[in-house]
Amino acid sequence: MSRLVFQFDVIAPFEGVIEAVFRQAGETVEEGEPLFMLKANNLAHPIQAPVTGLALNIEVNQGEFVLAGMILATITESDQS
């Protein structure tokens, strides 16, 4: 049995300010769980985990301005095959 490890980048869909960071590197995350709150045009938008796994990297901090397309986090998803 080999172990496959997949990595997924969480990308900012548009520019704005990170209002909240809900997870730290090394923590387990669930698919659909909010990882960040991104404020743009006076509206807050949750940025959710695309998969269940481990938050490998959290690349931004609360209060930071981000551009569309920036990597906010990397999540590893493990699968047995």
Side-chain angles (χ1 to χ4, degrees):
M1 243 187 211
S2 64
R3 182 179 170 111
L4 298 176
V5 177
F6 300 94
Q7 290 187 353
F8 296 85
D9 289 330
V10 179
I11 306 292
F14 40 79
E15 68 180 36
V17 175
I18 300 294
E19 280 206 324
V21 178
F22 300 118
R23 287 284 180 244
Q24 295 179 0
E27 293 185 328
T28 301
V29 298
E30 297 290 325
E31 182 177 354
E33 172 184 7
L35 300 177
F36 306 96
M37 192 64 66
L38 178 62
K39 185 173 183 178
N41 297 325
N42 292 322
L43 296 174
H45 305 274
I47 307 299
Q48 300 173 334
V51 295
T52 296
L54 183 70
L56 185 61
N57 294 320
I58 301 295
E59 302 289 343
V60 294
N61 297 304
Q62 183 174 345
E64 190 172 334
F65 180 81
V66 297
L67 298 172
M70 282 183 65
I71 296 174
L72 305 178
T74 302
I75 298 173
T76 59
E77 176 190 56
S78 296
D79 187 24
Q80 298 285 333
S81 56

